Amino acid sequence: MLTQTVCPAGALWEQVLARVAAKDNSASLFLAALVPLGVKEQVLTIGVGDQLYAQWLTRTYGKILDEALHSVAGEQYSYCWQYGCTPNREVQEPEQSRTQTVSEPEEATAEPAQAEPKKFSGEQNFGNFVVCEENRCAYAAAEIAATDPGRYNPLYIYGGTGVGKTHLLHAVANRVLDLQPDAEIRYATCESVLNEFVEVLQNKRDRSAFRNSLRNVELLLVDDVHILGRSQQLQEEFFNLFNTLYGRGKQIILTSDKQPSEIKGLEARLVTRFESGVTTELCPPDYEARLAILKIMYANCEHPIHLSNEVLEFIASNISSSVRVLRGAFNRVMAHVEIMRIRDISVSEVEALLEARLMTERAAKTVSIEMIQQNVAEQFNLKLSDILGSKRPKNIAEPRMVAMYLCRKHTTFSLPEIGAAFGRNHATVINALKRVPEMCAGSEEMRGAIAQLEHRLCGARVSKA
Ligand code: ADP
Ligand code: MG
């Protein structure tokens, strides 16, 4: 136990964290990201992103935090939250706390939370974005773009639907506004820009007003830029806009459902521009993160209805395609409990309630031989009939072997079954299984192609070939 005199917050916090970690791993994961700001009159001030997140932490881990604090420092100790601590500061400040001497009582350093003037929709910020391996890079890149604008320019974030792209854009906007409340920020979906542009072309709007609204900004956030592929004229406009902002060192962040080079109809000069900064992929979160997201949603529910951990775990483990779908499933369950006025809901009831969604999820996870053949043909710019046919030139024979190899790796079909699906016998498949790793060893291009295929077919988490 610590003495009851004032002690450095960093040292105290480390002991509290160690205590929490011994009891609850997931609690320590969340708490470790917070920052001890100071200890004064037996109150530990802990820095946290915002009030919403602090409320959730109190509800979810408040008890365990209290217990840990009492056991290391004494029953008379308590904690309070200080809002507005960014993850960047969170990493640095424990060091500073540690360097302070025991004889100098620490003050809580951050200013009290102030009423925020402007906010981007939904209060989506970095604090309530759950980070995991699948989104860590995109999260970090977005944070850097927000705190050190122009360093990663442009920042291009791509990923499937409902994985958090818009959330990260809003998080950047909100962070920049926190740092510079007067900053001119323009957030727009590419679709709305296209609609405005069409109006400009139809002379219903002033062209220079349209241009200025996009150009006279510190930060331009354009969501879903794959839409650009639809309009050559908008691409021309966008090209000029990009060059102007880039030339002025203004941060540009773009999101899309695919990489620049995969956007159909996107001019090469825009592909090059979009790829010239940092390109990062956002993938659907893993199980732990999905569970954490559900717990946040649950903690934020206005009407406290009881949901067991088993139910939350069931939803998290069975709904993995996107966070948006996860939210939909959660809302469905909550609405059911509320409407039916039931006090509790079992896993099997939840399973029945979400049946249709669960079937879609399962179907999405099943990779078929046909899907592999089709995807391989597309990847190598061949026709499906080439993959299925008997021609033997290298540019066809190699992709065909890749398709067989992927069928073996990602389906449960037997060698003869796979052979039959290609009009071959099992010996041909065995040969492919031997040849593909050799081809990969000799060609980075081939390794890249296979990695992309596996990613498309099975999601982000594929082991190396
Ligand atoms: P996208 O723009 O990629 O289609 P969104 O950003 O709209 O997806 O995310 C869909 C929903 O899921 C939003 O409510 C968002 O706040 C939430 N969400 C997505 N990823 C996360 C995450 N990692 N942590 C917390 N919420 C998330
Ligand atoms: Mg979006």
Side-chain angles (χ1 to χ4, degrees):
M1 199 188 265
L2 291 175
T3 55
Q4 285 167 26
T5 52
V6 177
C7 69
L12 171 59
W13 186 238
E14 268 179 20
Q15 293 187 45
V16 170
L17 282 185
R19 183 90 197 168
V20 170
K23 293 203 149 189
D24 182 332
N25 194 34
S26 90
S28 81
L29 212 89
F30 281 94
L31 299 179
L34 307 175
V35 56
L37 290 175
V39 186
K40 205 176 171 190
E41 289 162 5
Q42 298 172 336
V43 178
L44 170 66
T45 303
I46 308 169
V48 65
D50 57 40
Q51 186 178 13
L52 195 74
Y53 189 50
Q55 280 170 350
W56 178 77
L57 285 169
T58 309
R59 266 181 269 172
T60 318
Y61 299 121
K63 200 161 160 238
I64 191 161
L65 185 53
D66 267 333
E67 275 167 14
L69 186 60
H70 293 164
S71 78
V72 298
E75 285 290 329
Q76 67 285 12
Y77 268 75
S78 61
Y79 66 87
C80 68
W81 301 115
Q82 179 80 58
Y83 311 134
C85 282
T86 71
N88 268 353
R89 288 178 54 196
E90 284 164 10
V91 179
Q92 294 154 6
E93 291 211 18
E95 272 310 315
Q96 293 168 5
S97 307
R98 251 177 254 130
T99 59
Q100 294 189 353
T101 56
V102 177
S103 57
E104 279 178 74
E106 291 175 51
E107 298 288 337
T109 48
E111 291 295 324
Q114 288 169 357
E116 284 107 343
K118 305 189 237 175
K119 277 287 172 199
F120 276 78
S121 82
E123 292 292 313
Q124 288 170 328
N125 53 44
F126 287 113
N128 55 27
F129 189 89
V130 175
V131 182
C132 59
E133 216 34 59
E134 283 70 11
N135 59 32
R136 194 181 301 281
C137 287
Y139 178 95
E143 253 217 321
I144 289 171
T147 46
D148 191 1
R151 190 164 137 207
Y152 288 175
N153 214 11
L155 171 60
Y156 186 99
I157 301 173
Y158 70 97
T161 169
V163 291
K165 300 184 295 295
T166 301
H167 188 132
L168 280 183
L169 286 190
H170 288 158
V172 170
N174 285 326
R175 171 69 58 79
V176 170
L177 284 178
D178 281 344
L179 299 171
Q180 299 171 63
D182 298 328
E184 276 306 324
I185 296 175
R186 176 79 197 267
Y187 164 88
T189 64
C190 194
E191 180 126 41
S192 68
V193 175
L194 179 60
N195 291 341
E196 276 182 55
F197 186 62
V198 169
E199 287 187 4
V200 166
L201 294 182
Q202 293 168 346
N203 289 329
K204 286 186 199 151
R205 284 191 59 166
D206 173 8
R207 180 174 277 231
S208 60
F210 166 73
R211 282 195 177 146
N212 290 341
S213 73
L214 291 163
R215 267 169 211 211
N216 296 337
V217 296
E218 285 301 310
L219 171 65
L220 178 68
L221 307 158
V222 185
D223 215 351
D224 298 326
V225 290
H226 47 269
I227 303 279
L228 275 178
R230 290 188 201 161
S231 163
Q232 291 300 120
Q233 280 169 297
L234 183 59
Q235 287 186 43
E236 175 76 32
E237 193 70 29
F238 209 85
F239 179 72
N240 295 326
L241 168 70
F242 186 99
N243 290 340
T244 307
L245 287 175
Y246 187 85
R248 290 182 192 154
K250 307 297 182 197
Q251 178 71 52
I252 302 164
I253 310 185
L254 310 168
T255 73
S256 168
D257 64 358
K258 32 180 109 54
Q259 295 191 42
S261 59
E262 290 177 338
I263 299 178
K264 281 208 182 76
L266 189 68
E267 289 174 21
R269 58 181 183 165
L270 276 177
V271 173
T272 327
R273 298 265 174 326
F274 290 177
E275 284 174 346
S276 65
V278 169
T279 301
T280 172
E281 186 172 15
L282 197 51
C283 296
D286 64 13
Y287 168 75
E288 296 294 334
R290 295 197 300 274
L291 188 59
I293 292 167
L294 280 176
K295 287 186 175 171
I296 293 177
M297 291 179 197
Y298 185 37
N300 287 329
C301 279
E302 280 180 18
H303 307 291
I305 294 161
H306 182 252
L307 281 191
S308 67
N309 273 339
E310 287 72 39
V311 162
L312 293 175
E313 284 161 12
F314 175 83
I315 302 173
S317 66
N318 286 285
I319 303 226
S320 55
S321 57
S322 93
V323 184
R324 185 171 296 127
V325 175
L326 192 69
R327 183 181 284 280
F330 174 79
N331 288 343
R332 178 103 209 263
V333 172
M334 292 305 274
H336 178 81
V337 171
E338 204 174 340
I339 292 163
M340 305 305 282
R341 295 176 184 275
I342 44 181
R343 289 187 48 211
D344 212 344
I345 186 162
S346 68
V347 168
S348 55
E349 284 166 320
V350 169
E351 192 170 5
L353 195 64
L354 300 178
E355 193 189 352
R357 187 66 241 177
L358 295 176
M359 271 167 60
T360 317
E361 290 277 326
R362 277 181 211 126
K365 271 187 217 146
T366 322
V367 180
S368 69
I369 292 182
E370 292 73 29
M371 269 165 66
I372 292 175
Q373 292 169 332
Q374 186 67 50
N375 274 277
V376 169
E378 275 171 31
Q379 177 79 29
F380 293 95
N381 290 321
L382 297 171
K383 295 195 211 80
L384 184 58
S385 56
D386 292 329
I387 299 286
L388 298 177
S390 55
K391 286 189 207 142
R392 285 167 177 256
K394 191 167 170 241
N395 72 320
I396 296 180
E398 283 192 355
R400 191 185 289 136
M401 285 192 270
V402 167
M404 291 180 185
Y405 166 88
L406 291 176
C407 287
R408 183 60 178 163
K409 192 168 167 196
H410 296 292
T411 73
T412 51
F413 292 105
S414 65
L415 294 172
E417 281 169 330
I418 295 171
F422 288 82
R424 307 289 205 288
N425 62 24
H426 75 285
T428 320
V429 184
I430 292 174
N431 182 50
L433 298 183
K434 187 169 144 283
R435 289 277 291 114
V436 170
E438 291 167 5
M439 279 150 44
C440 285
S443 157
E444 193 174 335
E445 204 180 326
M446 182 57 87
R447 283 200 297 278
I450 292 180
Q452 280 181 24
L453 278 163
E454 293 195 300
H455 189 86
R456 271 214 302 284
L457 290 162
C458 321
R461 323 195 83 213
V462 229
S463 55
K464 301 249 168 7

